[in-house]
Amino acid sequence: MTNEGFTRSLGRALGRPTVLPMPAAALKLLFGEMSELLLVSDRMVPRRLLKEGFRFRYPDLDGALAAIFRRA
């Protein structure tokens, strides 16, 4: 999941448009070094869990965010 994909999923869950991306320079100005958490991404795959047969309650982000915001 890219930051753009996450932002779009979050927008769908909140029922808000996500048409304007946040410029990296603005994030760096607001958050300094912590902006790297938002700007840099790695592909994380829970291979061992999947290999052991673990089943996620919400296998995709849209389902997980919908459940989170339904409770809130």
Side-chain angles (χ1 to χ4, degrees):
M1 175 69 58
T2 63
N3 188 21
E4 179 183 355
F6 178 82
T7 301
R8 288 182 187 211
S9 290
L10 183 59
R12 281 192 296 272
L14 294 173
R16 312 263 174 162
T18 56
V19 292
L20 298 174
M22 174 63 87
L27 287 173
K28 288 178 183 179
L29 182 65
L30 289 170
F31 299 112
E33 288 183 28
M34 288 187 63
S35 66
E36 293 299 314
L37 296 171
L38 300 170
L39 297 171
V40 176
S41 64
D42 287 320
R43 176 136 170 87
M44 303 290 182
V45 178
R47 285 188 185 96
R48 183 151 184 202
L49 286 173
L50 294 172
K51 181 181 172 187
E52 295 295 325
F54 183 84
R55 298 185 62 98
F56 289 91
R57 181 177 297 165
Y58 304 105
D60 62 50
L61 182 60
D62 287 325
L65 290 173
I68 288 169
F69 291 112
R70 228 185 348 258
R71 292 184 199 140

